[in-house]
Amino acid sequence: METGKITLQEFQLVYEKDSSNLSAKKKNKKKPNEGCSVEGQVEIIKMDPQELEIDFVGFHLSLINAYRRIILAEVATIAIEKVDIFNNTSIVQDEVLAHRLGLVPLKVDPRYFEFQNKEETEWGAQDSVQYKLNVQCTKNPHALGDETDPDTLYLNRKVLSSSLKWVPLGNQTDIFQETSMQPLHDDILLAKMNAGHEIHLNAYAVKGIGSDHAKFQPGLAWYRLLPEIELTREVEGEQAELLQKCFSSGVINVVTTPEGKKVARVNDARNDACSRNVFQYDSIKDSVKLTRKTDHVIFYVESHSALKSFEILEESVNIMIGKCDLLLAEIDKYTDSDVGN
């Protein structure tokens, strides 16, 4: 696959004619497999439980975008789906409280659970997780007489996600530990109460996907093309410092030459946010050429669920493999029946 580039101009993007990684207006007939890259490269730049940054070089954008869409719409997680409220005398309405509970990320690993049958009316150990919340706000008997801070005057004034307590269903205690069934963050504010207020409810979490509701999304996924910056002329003095300020930190360095001149040099174009601020200044806008490589994709995954960032990408790849297997099976079925006829 030929390497294409996108040139960033002041008011438009210009796609070079050799860019085979993006849809072109002119359609050329190709032989089967022509234009398909089989020599792609993958490099992990950063990987930890929360964030993943990975480079895909030589892959078609449609494949990378497919992973992104699968992560957002089809990678499953566990989230609270139904709330039975027995008593709620706080100022937060029942519907708002239930909605906030549904958005609380849980530590529960979805790979140990099945999808709940929509016709099922019982909460089973294989497809559901139950929580209870029972909090009462009372006056603090140990508060000083001149105390004005309501968080000190009242006990349980703030209802946090840590107030959700896991209630095992069936044999769940034989499989899971309580620490792995709690909310992912224990300091999420659910409601504020005054003395005499009370919240008592049961909540039920199920397995779901982002296409059903955004609360089931395991995290965020996005990508960008690798930026490239080329200095078309030497930029020195005040212009060099101005050019440096037009880009993100670390993109442009101002160095001192042996002759004592301060000149601009490209340090790390990867960090460029492609803001095109340089085109605001007539004195330097002709000094750079901004491009992006269409065959080099920087892919990001950020987790806010029980799944780690790299596990989210792994799940999306497995889902893609399953789709491909299904398609191949259907093709084989059709070709076999066609041969039999």
Side-chain angles (χ1 to χ4, degrees), residues 200-218:
H200 181 202
L201 58 84
N202 285 344
Y204 300 90
V206 297
K207 185 175 181 178
I209 56 178
S211 59
D212 292 335
H213 195 286
K215 66 184 178 183
F216 290 112
Q217 290 182 352

Side-chain angles (χ1 to χ4, degrees), residues 47-303:
M47 185 172 70
D48 58 44
Q50 279 70 46
E51 297 180 3
L52 172 66
E53 180 180 348
I54 185 169
D55 284 11
F56 291 96
V57 182
F59 291 86
H60 202 281
L61 278 176
S62 60
L63 177 63
I64 309 303
N65 191 49
Y67 290 143
R68 181 191 68 85
R69 290 173 63 90
I70 291 174
I71 288 174
L72 297 180
E74 299 184 57
V75 175
T77 62
I78 303 290
I80 292 175
E81 178 69 9
K82 184 177 180 180
V83 180
D84 293 333
I85 299 178
F86 306 112
N87 191 14
N88 176 21
T89 57
S90 72
I91 62 172
V92 182
Q93 298 92 334
D94 292 353
E95 296 83 356
V96 176
L97 179 59
H99 181 265
R100 293 180 69 86
L101 288 169
L103 296 177
V104 174
L106 304 174
K107 290 182 180 180
V108 186
D109 193 330
R111 292 169 291 188
Y112 290 98
F113 290 85
E114 302 174 1
F115 286 99
Q116 188 182 44
N117 190 331
K118 293 183 179 180
E119 299 178 356
E120 184 66 47
T121 58
E122 298 292 332
W123 304 101
Q126 74 284 354
D127 57 21
S128 306
V129 182
Q130 182 180 350
Y131 295 92
K132 68 176 180 180
L133 191 152
N134 192 357
V135 180
Q136 293 180 336
C137 181
T138 58
K139 290 185 178 180
N140 184 1
H142 303 292
L144 300 178
D146 58 349
E147 182 63 60
T148 58
D149 184 4
D151 292 337
T152 305
L153 285 173
Y154 304 108
L155 301 176
N156 296 325
R157 170 173 164 77
K158 292 182 179 180
V159 182
L160 303 177
S161 54
S162 57
S163 301
L164 283 169
K165 304 302 180 183
W166 173 49
V167 180
L169 297 173
N171 65 338
Q172 288 183 347
T173 52
D174 298 333
I175 304 173
F176 305 106
Q177 295 182 349
E178 185 175 1
T179 54
S180 64
M181 305 297 284
Q182 299 301 325
L184 188 62
H185 306 287
D186 58 7
D187 58 349
I188 300 176
L189 181 65
L190 301 177
K192 287 186 177 182
M193 301 192 296
N194 284 327
H197 289 177
E198 178 184 358
I199 297 178
H200 181 202
L201 58 84
N202 285 344
Y204 300 90
V206 297
K207 185 175 181 178
I209 56 178
S211 59
D212 292 335
H213 195 286
K215 66 184 178 183
F216 290 112
Q217 290 182 352
L220 300 176
W222 70 98
Y223 64 86
R224 63 189 180 102
L225 302 178
L226 179 70
E228 289 186 330
I229 300 176
E230 178 186 350
L231 296 181
T232 58
R233 62 177 177 84
E234 188 170 274
V235 184
E236 58 183 50
E238 294 182 356
Q239 289 189 355
E241 295 178 352
L242 179 60
L243 181 67
Q244 184 183 41
K245 294 178 181 178
C246 291
F247 294 89
S248 303
S249 177
V251 174
I252 300 293
N253 281 349
V254 177
V255 300
T256 303
T257 65
E259 294 78 19
K261 296 190 300 182
K262 291 184 176 181
V263 297
R265 294 285 186 267
V266 178
N267 178 51
D268 187 4
R270 182 188 181 92
N271 293 330
D272 181 31
C274 297
S275 63
R276 293 185 278 187
N277 289 334
V278 65
F279 293 116
Q280 300 181 43
Y281 305 98
D282 294 334
S283 60
I284 58 174
K285 68 180 183 180
D286 64 335
S287 63
V288 294
K289 180 180 180 182
L290 308 179
T291 58
R292 286 191 175 193
K293 296 186 65 176
T294 59
D295 71 330
H296 191 144
V297 179
I298 306 173
F299 191 80
Y300 300 90
V301 179
E302 181 179 318
S303 173

